[in-house]
Amino acid sequence: MNFLPYSTKAFSVIWKKASILLCILLIALSATAQTSLLKKRISVHLNNVSVSQILEALETHSGCTFVYSADLLDVARQTSVHLDHVTLEDALQQLFPNGIGQLAVNGNRINLQPSAGKGTIRGEVRTNDGRPAGYVTVSLGSNKMQADENGRFQFRQIEVGTYQLTADYVGVKRQAKEVQVQANHTNDISITLYEDAQALQEVVVNGERVNRFANKETDYVARMPLSNLENPQVYSVVTKQLMQEQVSYTIADAIRNAAGAVPVTNPSGGLSAYFRGFGVGINARNGMESTSERSAMDLANIERIEVLKGPSGTLFGSSVSSFGGVVNLVTKKPIEAKRTELSYTTGSFGLNRVTIDFNTPLDAEKKVLFRINSALHRERSFLSYGFNNTFLVAPSLSYRVNERLSLNVDAELLHVHNTQPMNFLIRSADIQQPSDILLDYRKTLYHDNVDVKNRATRIYAEAVYKLSDNFKSTTLFSYVSEDVERSYQRPVIWMSPRTAVRASAVYGPVYNGYTNLQHNINGTFATGSIRHKLLLGANYRHYASNFLFAEAQVIDQIDVTQPFQPVLRQSIDELVSYAPFPSPTQNTISVYASDMIELLPRLSAMLSLRMDRFDREATEGSDDGFEQTSFAPKFGLVYQLIPQQLSLFGNYMSGFQNVAPALQPDGSRQVLDPLFANQAEGGVKTELFNKKFSFTASYYYIKIDNATRTNAALFIVQDGEQVSKGIDLELIAQPLTGLNIVAGYAYNNNRIISASDPAIEGNKAANAPENVANIWASYTFQKRLKGLGVGVGLNYVDKMYRATDNTFFIPSYSLANAVIYYQKQAWGIQLKANNLFDKRYWDYWGNPQAPANFAANLNFRF
């Protein structure tokens, strides 16, 4: 029998394993004993004694022995302590707030090692598309904490040394950074989470843990870091994720997701939006002045669209804002990940669109980051003639020079060749709305070669310098130019439902140049128990323009019920004669300040003021120039009933506009006085369940004393008082995982209170629909059919009048859209149906809009 050798070997293996387990158990017991010693609670009260005497008392109460060097620790210092049932560790931290570097425990002996100094580590965690990564676990050695909803975290009183900082999230690959902590210094750290295959499948594609459409964090709305619940102003944000899900490829389509917003493409070529009863151009880009007067814009380089509600001249100035608010486009910024996304969209009316988004670090330390977005767009009109061809190139570069200084530069170069909408001028009482006109819905009166060619250049530069832990300096430069080679406008005068007088006005070449230089200082400080968030800023604006203009000439008169030929460019060129158009140079110097004051833990007040010095030079043979100094105040209150969840707010804001002379239908120019408006508003904001339920409701009242209006002959008149009042409602919800809802409703009552023409008093203002509503709901399957999703949406716009005589109106309309999509880690496909029920509707100018159509998108990510 050979049991003995086997038993000896078995006993040897068992003994080794038992020895290992015993050692582990002893180590664990030792660590537990050490931990329990530091966590032992004590109570000590001593007055005006030395630190060494306090240590002796702590030894007596805890049963430990302290080992330290009196030469390295100031134990002769006189102090007092009042400790009630605190842990021994906390007692030592209070006794040596900056003097202890590490507590080494050996049995009942505690070694007090002196500190070489302490510092702070703070930062933010973002996903690789630049979005905040909320609720991520951030670890620094044995210290762990959870980042807040905006991805921010902070470790205080960290001993000098080198540490490994890590960020973890379920389903996402762990990221780590080495951090060197220096004495009395704050390290600002940014961590980017790069999703692995599992994360992309489980977290991003098939329903996120937080509402992906509810991110309202912005650096631009208040020009200071305020959350939505802290801000006393109402604003909407259309995220990139929402635009992608809806297969949006125009800003006009995307902006319909902002509560109360109605987009319109102008005959001059630019894009406007109407809300709260006023029109505003898309005139802000990254918080700086841009323009949409004569140039189109492309969605390919847009990260998000921010729509501020109400007069916002206090922080943005009159050239950017209107009394309805501000539309700010936020462009895509370089990120630390190396990533490429290709997208191809095709669809009705010859739609073919290709976009590329390429991002890469340019150095191993990821201090220099580069990104470029580009789009090629080709599309025919649903009308008998018409097209839209654009090409965009948008590079951007960021450089983190050191811990204090970072630089960012980006540009957009957009080339446009298209046809513009017609502008219907009604001269017949038999025409009350566009459907009364007998022109075929799918016909236009002009040929393709009555076109527009222009290019837009937008350059933006930013330098951010950290002055201290609490203050930073930001210097901004922006240059925007519109260069129009030619722009054939298409006015049509309707003499009866069947009789049209076709005309054309021609611009070009045209140059509009906008240069802005801005400097802001942001910081936080305290006066006693009151905390402040401060903004101090100054801005210099220069506008220059020169162009040729040919006044509108009648081409012919036709009966649209009979066969006719479209107007050709050659017919127009034979009639028009060009002349230089007087265009005065403008200079504006502005200074502004804003202070968000935390009066009580839940109560904050915002005090803001802006002063503009506006100077419009005189032009030869035209007006005599104009100078004015304007003040725009803003006051807001916020009370958080439930901190970070529910707040009440109110605001008083003033807006002003230095209005350029108006070109009247007869070719004359009307010099207009500056406009002033005041708004009072109050409401409630709530963000519950980690932003899975976000709701805003507000009531506003806007008054203008010297309002301009459009009369029945479409002349601009400035003669009266106007009041706009109403409510805004917005809901962004994720009631269950995978289901997302975005909805908005706006009621607006905008009327002429008094005017030189008593007949229009009490009438509605032009282009002010009373009711506007939108809803979008989508669901992404979570288990079976993972990656498959569907979305449906509805937009409603009430009828609106073209002029304050309230005769000709644009009828109300409802648009239904639907999308089905399938998204995987590296690719996705979407099918979108627009105007699902083939409704006929018209824009503000009377132009018919696209019938039922579809778009299909295929995208690749690698």
Short mmCIF file of all heavy atoms in Angstrom, two decimals, residues 20-73:
data_model
loop_
_atom_site.label_atom_id
_atom_site.label_comp_id
_atom_site.label_asym_id
_atom_site.label_seq_id
_atom_site.Cartn_x
_atom_site.Cartn_y
_atom_site.Cartn_z
N ILE A 20 -0.58 30.13 4.40
CA ILE A 20 -0.88 31.36 3.63
C ILE A 20 -2.16 32.00 4.14
O ILE A 20 -2.23 33.21 4.35
CB ILE A 20 -0.98 31.03 2.13
CG1 ILE A 20 0.39 30.60 1.59
CG2 ILE A 20 -1.50 32.24 1.35
CD1 ILE A 20 0.35 30.09 0.17
N LEU A 21 -3.20 31.18 4.35
CA LEU A 21 -4.48 31.71 4.84
C LEU A 21 -4.33 32.32 6.22
O LEU A 21 -4.94 33.36 6.54
CB LEU A 21 -5.53 30.60 4.87
CG LEU A 21 -6.01 30.09 3.50
CD1 LEU A 21 -6.94 28.90 3.68
CD2 LEU A 21 -6.75 31.20 2.76
N LEU A 22 -3.48 31.69 7.07
CA LEU A 22 -3.26 32.20 8.42
C LEU A 22 -2.58 33.57 8.37
O LEU A 22 -2.96 34.49 9.11
CB LEU A 22 -2.42 31.20 9.22
CG LEU A 22 -2.12 31.61 10.68
CD1 LEU A 22 -3.43 31.74 11.46
CD2 LEU A 22 -1.21 30.57 11.36
N CYS A 23 -1.59 33.70 7.47
CA CYS A 23 -0.90 34.98 7.33
C CYS A 23 -1.86 36.08 6.86
O CYS A 23 -1.85 37.21 7.37
CB CYS A 23 0.27 34.87 6.34
SG CYS A 23 1.64 33.87 6.97
N ILE A 24 -2.68 35.72 5.89
CA ILE A 24 -3.68 36.69 5.39
C ILE A 24 -4.62 37.09 6.50
O ILE A 24 -4.96 38.28 6.66
CB ILE A 24 -4.45 36.09 4.20
CG1 ILE A 24 -3.51 35.91 3.00
CG2 ILE A 24 -5.63 36.98 3.81
CD1 ILE A 24 -4.15 35.19 1.84
N LEU A 25 -5.05 36.10 7.32
CA LEU A 25 -5.97 36.38 8.41
C LEU A 25 -5.34 37.30 9.44
O LEU A 25 -5.96 38.26 9.93
CB LEU A 25 -6.42 35.07 9.06
CG LEU A 25 -7.40 35.19 10.25
CD1 LEU A 25 -8.68 35.88 9.79
CD2 LEU A 25 -7.70 33.82 10.82
N LEU A 26 -4.05 37.05 9.77
CA LEU A 26 -3.34 37.87 10.75
C LEU A 26 -3.17 39.31 10.24
O LEU A 26 -3.34 40.27 10.99
CB LEU A 26 -1.97 37.26 11.07
CG LEU A 26 -2.01 35.95 11.87
CD1 LEU A 26 -0.61 35.36 11.99
CD2 LEU A 26 -2.63 36.18 13.25
N ILE A 27 -2.86 39.43 8.94
CA ILE A 27 -2.72 40.77 8.36
C ILE A 27 -4.05 41.51 8.41
O ILE A 27 -4.13 42.69 8.75
CB ILE A 27 -2.19 40.67 6.91
CG1 ILE A 27 -0.75 40.16 6.92
CG2 ILE A 27 -2.28 42.02 6.20
CD1 ILE A 27 -0.21 39.84 5.54
N ALA A 28 -5.12 40.80 8.05
CA ALA A 28 -6.44 41.42 8.07
C ALA A 28 -6.83 41.83 9.47
O ALA A 28 -7.38 42.93 9.69
CB ALA A 28 -7.48 40.46 7.49
N LEU A 29 -6.54 40.94 10.48
CA LEU A 29 -6.86 41.28 11.86
C LEU A 29 -6.06 42.48 12.32
O LEU A 29 -6.57 43.36 13.03
CB LEU A 29 -6.60 40.07 12.77
CG LEU A 29 -7.58 38.89 12.62
CD1 LEU A 29 -7.10 37.70 13.44
CD2 LEU A 29 -8.98 39.30 13.04
N SER A 30 -4.77 42.52 11.90
CA SER A 30 -3.93 43.66 12.26
C SER A 30 -4.46 44.95 11.68
O SER A 30 -4.54 45.98 12.35
CB SER A 30 -2.49 43.41 11.78
OG SER A 30 -1.68 44.55 12.05
N ALA A 31 -4.84 44.89 10.38
CA ALA A 31 -5.36 46.09 9.73
C ALA A 31 -6.67 46.53 10.38
O ALA A 31 -6.91 47.73 10.58
CB ALA A 31 -5.59 45.82 8.24
N THR A 32 -7.49 45.52 10.76
CA THR A 32 -8.76 45.85 11.41
C THR A 32 -8.50 46.50 12.76
O THR A 32 -9.16 47.48 13.14
CB THR A 32 -9.61 44.58 11.59
OG1 THR A 32 -9.84 44.01 10.31
CG2 THR A 32 -10.94 44.91 12.26
N ALA A 33 -7.51 45.97 13.48
CA ALA A 33 -7.18 46.55 14.78
C ALA A 33 -6.69 47.97 14.64
O ALA A 33 -7.05 48.86 15.42
CB ALA A 33 -6.12 45.68 15.47
N GLN A 34 -5.83 48.20 13.59
CA GLN A 34 -5.32 49.55 13.36
C GLN A 34 -6.46 50.50 13.00
O GLN A 34 -6.55 51.61 13.52
CB GLN A 34 -4.28 49.52 12.25
CG GLN A 34 -3.01 48.76 12.63
CD GLN A 34 -2.05 48.67 11.47
OE1 GLN A 34 -2.24 49.31 10.46
NE2 GLN A 34 -1.00 47.86 11.61
N THR A 35 -7.34 50.02 12.11
CA THR A 35 -8.45 50.86 11.70
C THR A 35 -9.36 51.17 12.88
O THR A 35 -9.79 52.31 13.07
CB THR A 35 -9.25 50.17 10.58
OG1 THR A 35 -8.38 49.92 9.48
CG2 THR A 35 -10.41 51.05 10.12
N SER A 36 -9.63 50.12 13.71
CA SER A 36 -10.51 50.33 14.85
C SER A 36 -9.90 51.28 15.85
O SER A 36 -10.62 52.04 16.52
CB SER A 36 -10.84 48.99 15.51
OG SER A 36 -9.66 48.38 16.01
N LEU A 37 -8.58 51.31 15.96
CA LEU A 37 -7.92 52.24 16.87
C LEU A 37 -8.13 53.68 16.43
O LEU A 37 -8.46 54.55 17.24
CB LEU A 37 -6.43 51.92 16.95
CG LEU A 37 -5.60 52.81 17.90
CD1 LEU A 37 -6.11 52.71 19.33
CD2 LEU A 37 -4.12 52.42 17.84
N LEU A 38 -7.94 53.95 15.14
CA LEU A 38 -8.13 55.31 14.63
C LEU A 38 -9.60 55.72 14.65
O LEU A 38 -9.91 56.91 14.73
CB LEU A 38 -7.59 55.43 13.20
CG LEU A 38 -6.06 55.39 13.07
CD1 LEU A 38 -5.66 55.35 11.60
CD2 LEU A 38 -5.44 56.61 13.73
N LYS A 39 -10.51 54.74 14.59
CA LYS A 39 -11.93 55.06 14.58
C LYS A 39 -12.54 55.10 15.98
O LYS A 39 -13.73 55.36 16.14
CB LYS A 39 -12.69 54.03 13.74
CG LYS A 39 -12.29 54.01 12.27
CD LYS A 39 -12.45 55.38 11.62
CE LYS A 39 -12.03 55.36 10.16
NZ LYS A 39 -12.11 56.70 9.54
N LYS A 40 -11.70 54.84 17.00
CA LYS A 40 -12.20 54.87 18.38
C LYS A 40 -12.64 56.29 18.72
O LYS A 40 -11.95 57.25 18.45
CB LYS A 40 -11.11 54.40 19.34
CG LYS A 40 -11.61 54.23 20.76
CD LYS A 40 -10.53 53.59 21.62
CE LYS A 40 -11.05 53.36 23.04
NZ LYS A 40 -10.03 52.71 23.91
N ARG A 41 -13.81 56.42 19.33
CA ARG A 41 -14.37 57.74 19.61
C ARG A 41 -14.00 58.18 21.03
O ARG A 41 -14.03 57.39 21.98
CB ARG A 41 -15.89 57.73 19.43
CG ARG A 41 -16.29 57.51 17.99
CD ARG A 41 -17.76 57.72 17.74
NE ARG A 41 -18.08 57.60 16.33
CZ ARG A 41 -18.00 58.60 15.47
NH1 ARG A 41 -17.63 59.81 15.89
NH2 ARG A 41 -18.29 58.41 14.19
N ILE A 42 -13.68 59.48 21.15
CA ILE A 42 -13.23 60.03 22.42
C ILE A 42 -13.89 61.38 22.63
O ILE A 42 -14.39 62.00 21.70
CB ILE A 42 -11.69 60.19 22.46
CG1 ILE A 42 -11.26 61.08 21.27
CG2 ILE A 42 -10.98 58.85 22.42
CD1 ILE A 42 -9.79 61.43 21.30
N SER A 43 -13.81 61.86 23.88
CA SER A 43 -14.29 63.20 24.25
C SER A 43 -13.25 63.84 25.14
O SER A 43 -12.88 63.29 26.18
CB SER A 43 -15.64 63.13 24.97
OG SER A 43 -16.64 62.59 24.13
N VAL A 44 -12.76 65.01 24.72
CA VAL A 44 -11.73 65.72 25.47
C VAL A 44 -12.04 67.21 25.42
O VAL A 44 -12.33 67.74 24.35
CB VAL A 44 -10.31 65.45 24.91
CG1 VAL A 44 -9.28 66.32 25.62
CG2 VAL A 44 -9.94 63.99 25.04
N HIS A 45 -11.93 67.90 26.58
CA HIS A 45 -12.13 69.34 26.65
C HIS A 45 -10.99 69.95 27.44
O HIS A 45 -10.86 69.70 28.65
CB HIS A 45 -13.47 69.67 27.31
CG HIS A 45 -14.67 69.19 26.55
ND1 HIS A 45 -15.29 69.94 25.59
CD2 HIS A 45 -15.34 68.00 26.59
CE1 HIS A 45 -16.30 69.27 25.09
NE2 HIS A 45 -16.34 68.06 25.67
N LEU A 46 -10.15 70.73 26.79
CA LEU A 46 -8.99 71.37 27.43
C LEU A 46 -8.87 72.79 26.92
O LEU A 46 -9.07 73.06 25.73
CB LEU A 46 -7.71 70.60 27.14
CG LEU A 46 -7.62 69.17 27.72
CD1 LEU A 46 -6.39 68.46 27.16
CD2 LEU A 46 -7.57 69.21 29.25
N ASN A 47 -8.49 73.73 27.82
CA ASN A 47 -8.34 75.13 27.45
C ASN A 47 -6.93 75.61 27.73
O ASN A 47 -6.38 75.36 28.83
CB ASN A 47 -9.33 76.01 28.22
CG ASN A 47 -10.76 75.77 27.80
OD1 ASN A 47 -11.06 75.72 26.62
ND2 ASN A 47 -11.66 75.61 28.77
N ASN A 48 -6.36 76.31 26.74
CA ASN A 48 -5.06 76.98 26.88
C ASN A 48 -3.99 76.04 27.43
O ASN A 48 -3.35 76.30 28.45
CB ASN A 48 -5.19 78.20 27.79
CG ASN A 48 -6.14 79.24 27.22
OD1 ASN A 48 -6.17 79.48 26.01
ND2 ASN A 48 -6.94 79.86 28.09
N VAL A 49 -3.80 74.94 26.73
CA VAL A 49 -2.73 73.99 27.09
C VAL A 49 -1.89 73.74 25.85
O VAL A 49 -2.25 74.12 24.73
CB VAL A 49 -3.31 72.66 27.61
CG1 VAL A 49 -4.08 72.88 28.90
CG2 VAL A 49 -4.20 72.02 26.55
N SER A 50 -0.73 73.11 26.01
CA SER A 50 0.14 72.82 24.87
C SER A 50 -0.39 71.63 24.10
O SER A 50 -1.17 70.81 24.62
CB SER A 50 1.56 72.54 25.36
OG SER A 50 1.58 71.34 26.11
N VAL A 51 0.05 71.53 22.87
CA VAL A 51 -0.35 70.40 22.03
C VAL A 51 0.13 69.08 22.63
O VAL A 51 -0.56 68.06 22.56
CB VAL A 51 0.19 70.59 20.59
CG1 VAL A 51 -0.03 69.34 19.76
CG2 VAL A 51 -0.47 71.79 19.93
N SER A 52 1.33 69.10 23.24
CA SER A 52 1.85 67.86 23.84
C SER A 52 0.95 67.39 24.97
O SER A 52 0.74 66.18 25.16
CB SER A 52 3.27 68.09 24.35
OG SER A 52 3.31 69.10 25.33
N GLN A 53 0.37 68.33 25.76
CA GLN A 53 -0.54 67.95 26.83
C GLN A 53 -1.84 67.35 26.25
O GLN A 53 -2.41 66.42 26.82
CB GLN A 53 -0.86 69.16 27.69
CG GLN A 53 0.31 69.63 28.54
CD GLN A 53 -0.01 70.91 29.29
OE1 GLN A 53 -0.29 71.93 28.68
NE2 GLN A 53 0.04 70.85 30.63
N ILE A 54 -2.28 67.91 25.13
CA ILE A 54 -3.49 67.35 24.49
C ILE A 54 -3.21 65.94 24.01
O ILE A 54 -4.06 65.05 24.14
CB ILE A 54 -3.94 68.26 23.34
CG1 ILE A 54 -4.33 69.64 23.87
CG2 ILE A 54 -5.11 67.64 22.57
CD1 ILE A 54 -4.64 70.64 22.78
N LEU A 55 -2.03 65.69 23.43
CA LEU A 55 -1.68 64.35 22.98
C LEU A 55 -1.66 63.36 24.14
O LEU A 55 -2.09 62.21 23.99
CB LEU A 55 -0.33 64.37 22.27
CG LEU A 55 -0.30 65.07 20.90
CD1 LEU A 55 1.13 65.14 20.37
CD2 LEU A 55 -1.19 64.34 19.90
N GLU A 56 -1.16 63.81 25.30
CA GLU A 56 -1.16 62.93 26.47
C GLU A 56 -2.58 62.57 26.88
O GLU A 56 -2.88 61.42 27.24
CB GLU A 56 -0.43 63.63 27.63
CG GLU A 56 1.07 63.77 27.42
CD GLU A 56 1.73 64.58 28.52
OE1 GLU A 56 1.00 64.99 29.46
OE2 GLU A 56 2.94 64.80 28.45
N ALA A 57 -3.49 63.57 26.80
CA ALA A 57 -4.88 63.29 27.15
C ALA A 57 -5.51 62.31 26.15
O ALA A 57 -6.28 61.44 26.53
CB ALA A 57 -5.67 64.60 27.18
N LEU A 58 -5.18 62.47 24.87
CA LEU A 58 -5.69 61.54 23.86
C LEU A 58 -5.17 60.13 24.09
O LEU A 58 -5.90 59.15 23.89
CB LEU A 58 -5.31 62.03 22.46
CG LEU A 58 -5.95 63.35 22.00
CD1 LEU A 58 -5.42 63.73 20.62
CD2 LEU A 58 -7.47 63.24 21.96
N GLU A 59 -3.90 60.01 24.51
CA GLU A 59 -3.34 58.69 24.82
C GLU A 59 -4.11 58.04 25.96
O GLU A 59 -4.42 56.84 25.93
CB GLU A 59 -1.87 58.84 25.19
CG GLU A 59 -0.97 59.16 24.02
CD GLU A 59 0.48 59.35 24.44
OE1 GLU A 59 0.73 59.72 25.61
OE2 GLU A 59 1.37 59.13 23.59
N THR A 60 -4.44 58.84 26.99
CA THR A 60 -5.14 58.29 28.15
C THR A 60 -6.53 57.79 27.77
O THR A 60 -6.96 56.71 28.19
CB THR A 60 -5.27 59.38 29.23
OG1 THR A 60 -3.96 59.82 29.61
CG2 THR A 60 -6.01 58.84 30.45
N HIS A 61 -7.24 58.56 26.95
CA HIS A 61 -8.61 58.21 26.59
C HIS A 61 -8.70 57.09 25.56
O HIS A 61 -9.69 56.36 25.51
CB HIS A 61 -9.36 59.43 26.06
CG HIS A 61 -9.75 60.41 27.13
ND1 HIS A 61 -8.85 61.28 27.71
CD2 HIS A 61 -10.95 60.63 27.76
CE1 HIS A 61 -9.47 62.02 28.62
NE2 HIS A 61 -10.74 61.64 28.67
N SER A 62 -7.67 56.93 24.71
CA SER A 62 -7.74 55.94 23.64
C SER A 62 -6.90 54.71 23.90
O SER A 62 -7.06 53.69 23.22
CB SER A 62 -7.31 56.58 22.32
OG SER A 62 -5.94 56.96 22.38
N GLY A 63 -5.99 54.78 24.86
CA GLY A 63 -5.14 53.64 25.14
C GLY A 63 -4.02 53.44 24.13
O GLY A 63 -3.47 52.35 24.00
N CYS A 64 -3.65 54.51 23.41
CA CYS A 64 -2.59 54.40 22.41
C CYS A 64 -1.37 55.17 22.87
O CYS A 64 -1.40 55.87 23.91
CB CYS A 64 -3.06 54.94 21.07
SG CYS A 64 -3.25 56.73 21.04
N THR A 65 -0.29 55.05 22.11
CA THR A 65 0.94 55.80 22.37
C THR A 65 1.34 56.51 21.09
O THR A 65 1.41 55.88 20.02
CB THR A 65 2.08 54.88 22.82
OG1 THR A 65 1.68 54.20 24.02
CG2 THR A 65 3.36 55.68 23.07
N PHE A 66 1.60 57.82 21.17
CA PHE A 66 2.01 58.59 20.01
C PHE A 66 3.53 58.65 19.94
O PHE A 66 4.20 58.87 20.95
CB PHE A 66 1.45 60.01 20.06
CG PHE A 66 -0.05 60.07 19.96
CD1 PHE A 66 -0.82 60.54 21.01
CD2 PHE A 66 -0.70 59.66 18.79
CE1 PHE A 66 -2.20 60.58 20.92
CE2 PHE A 66 -2.08 59.72 18.69
CZ PHE A 66 -2.83 60.17 19.76
N VAL A 67 4.05 58.44 18.74
CA VAL A 67 5.48 58.55 18.49
C VAL A 67 5.68 59.71 17.53
O VAL A 67 5.12 59.71 16.42
CB VAL A 67 6.05 57.24 17.90
CG1 VAL A 67 7.54 57.39 17.62
CG2 VAL A 67 5.77 56.08 18.83
N TYR A 68 6.50 60.71 17.93
CA TYR A 68 6.70 61.87 17.06
C TYR A 68 7.98 62.58 17.46
O TYR A 68 8.56 62.31 18.52
CB TYR A 68 5.52 62.84 17.16
CG TYR A 68 5.25 63.35 18.55
CD1 TYR A 68 5.90 64.49 19.04
CD2 TYR A 68 4.35 62.71 19.40
CE1 TYR A 68 5.66 64.96 20.32
CE2 TYR A 68 4.10 63.16 20.67
CZ TYR A 68 4.75 64.29 21.13
OH TYR A 68 4.52 64.76 22.39
N SER A 69 8.43 63.48 16.63
CA SER A 69 9.62 64.28 16.90
C SER A 69 9.16 65.69 17.25
O SER A 69 8.48 66.35 16.45
CB SER A 69 10.54 64.32 15.67
OG SER A 69 11.57 65.28 15.86
N ALA A 70 9.55 66.16 18.44
CA ALA A 70 9.19 67.52 18.86
C ALA A 70 9.86 68.58 18.01
O ALA A 70 9.41 69.73 17.98
CB ALA A 70 9.55 67.71 20.33
N ASP A 71 10.93 68.19 17.29
CA ASP A 71 11.61 69.15 16.41
C ASP A 71 10.87 69.35 15.10
O ASP A 71 11.02 70.38 14.44
CB ASP A 71 13.05 68.67 16.12
CG ASP A 71 13.91 68.64 17.37
OD1 ASP A 71 13.65 69.47 18.28
OD2 ASP A 71 14.82 67.79 17.45
N LEU A 72 10.09 68.35 14.71
CA LEU A 72 9.39 68.42 13.42
C LEU A 72 7.93 68.83 13.58
O LEU A 72 7.32 69.36 12.64
CB LEU A 72 9.47 67.07 12.70
CG LEU A 72 10.88 66.59 12.35
CD1 LEU A 72 10.83 65.22 11.70
CD2 LEU A 72 11.57 67.59 11.43
N LEU A 73 7.33 68.56 14.75
CA LEU A 73 5.95 68.96 15.01
C LEU A 73 5.93 70.03 16.09
O LEU A 73 6.64 69.92 17.11
CB LEU A 73 5.12 67.76 15.47
CG LEU A 73 4.79 66.70 14.41
CD1 LEU A 73 3.97 65.58 15.04
CD2 LEU A 73 4.02 67.31 13.25
#
